Amino acid sequence: GQQVMQIPQYQHVQEGEDFTTYCNSSTTLSNIQWYKQRPGGHPVFLIQLVKSGEVKKQKRLTFQFGEAKKNSSLHITATQTTDVGTYFCAGISGTASKLTFGTGTRLQVTL
Amino acid sequence: NAGVTQTPKFQVLKTGQSMTLQCAQDMNHNSMYWYRQDPGMGLRLIYYSASEGTTDKGEVPNGYNVSRLNKREFSLRLESAAPSQTSVYFCASTVHIIEATEAFFGQGTRLTVV
């Protein structure tokens, strides 16, 4: 079945440093979504990418969808303590019709 | 709008007991999902329903059953709870599964099986 892996599992940065998480799918994705989950909370939708090679920005966050539509990345510039949480990618592959989540990357930001 | 509402928020069960987790959405979404999240882990799909009247297995369906009662409600039943089912359970919904639109999540149900 479809597997979606993310690296790293955990990253600890100083406030102001950059952060990147990578998402890799075992199968080609129809699109990719990114979610953020704060500690003790539920996942909240951030963005969706559909086109091969697509790049989208949200303030300090930059999202990319790979050319082969099997990988994606989320880059945060100049992290802040409010960025703390776990970031998940998610996608649907072919006719599977299941929204599969990646393993997640937990980000810790300290002053 | 309440969005996605899950009940209960917390539950402690003894091994072998049964219970049903309730989920309702008021956004007129077609597709609904049940995920479990173990400590420090990602979200694993238990069951999903692409539309009213249909349900399908996800990655980890064993030990669970679901019922899509109507368009609004999607319940998850544990027939005989086991300690391995201790987890946080999330219900989610989207407009349409094929187009993979934004998923809205409930607040979660924290289940402990002792």
Side-chain angles (χ1 to χ4, degrees):
Chain A
Q2 179 190 8
Q3 290 187 329
V4 183
M5 303 298 292
Q6 284 182 251
I7 55 171
Q9 277 190 301
Y10 171 76
Q11 181 119 36
H12 182 184
V13 300
Q14 299 287 325
E15 189 177 50
E17 293 181 334
D18 291 356
F19 161 76
T20 303
T21 173
Y22 299 92
C23 172
N24 293 288
S25 171
S26 58
T27 56
T28 303
L29 299 169
S30 302
N31 55 36
I32 192 88
Q33 299 176 359
W34 284 93
Y35 293 78
K36 177 182 179 181
Q37 183 179 28
R38 294 184 186 274
H42 61 277
V44 175
F45 177 84
L46 293 175
I47 207 162
Q48 176 171 281
L49 304 169
V50 179
K51 299 176 184 176
S52 169
E54 188 171 12
V55 178
K56 285 188 176 181
K57 293 191 176 185
Q58 284 182 350
K59 298 184 180 178
R60 295 179 293 104
L61 278 61
T62 301
F63 304 84
Q64 289 189 310
F65 199 11
E67 293 290 341
K69 300 184 77 172
K70 294 181 73 173
N71 55 70
S72 181
S73 64
L74 159 59
H75 180 80
I76 302 178
T77 303
T79 55
Q80 300 175 357
T81 54
T82 53
D83 295 324
V84 166
T86 300
Y87 292 85
F88 292 99
C89 61
I92 287 180
S93 176
T95 59
S97 299
K98 298 183 291 189
L99 184 61
T100 299
F101 277 74
T103 47
T105 296
R106 186 161 71 93
L107 172 65
Q108 180 63 32
V109 181
T110 51
L111 295 171
Chain B
N1 278 343
V4 180
T5 303
Q6 287 183 237
T7 55
K9 288 187 169 53
F10 301 93
Q11 183 73 48
V12 178
L13 289 178
K14 292 183 179 179
T15 298
Q17 286 186 316
S18 62
M19 79 161 295
T20 299
L21 281 63
Q22 307 286 353
C23 176
Q25 52 89 11
D26 61 4
M27 296 173 284
N28 201 35
H29 285 173
N30 293 306
S31 306
M32 299 184 74
Y33 312 80
W34 276 106
Y35 293 90
R36 63 176 285 175
Q37 184 174 35
D38 299 324
M41 301 290 286
L43 295 149
R44 291 186 292 170
L45 182 63
I46 305 172
Y47 271 94
Y48 66 101
S49 171
S51 60
E52 183 181 354
T54 68
T55 60
D56 285 285
K57 295 179 180 179
E59 305 168 59
V60 288
N62 291 344
Y64 305 95
N65 284 303
V66 290
S67 178
R68 184 76 184 265
L69 303 169
N70 47 54
K71 193 171 186 179
R72 288 188 65 246
E73 298 171 291
F74 189 38
S75 61
L76 178 72
R77 182 160 178 85
L78 286 70
E79 290 292 350
S80 179
S84 60
Q85 293 179 305
T86 293
S87 190
V88 179
Y89 291 84
F90 287 102
C91 176
S93 70
T94 65
V95 171
H96 196 293
I97 198 168
I98 298 298
E99 295 164 0
T101 52
E102 172 184 356
F104 292 82
F105 282 80
Q107 297 294 320
T109 296
R110 282 155 179 78
L111 175 67
T112 301
V113 183
V114 298

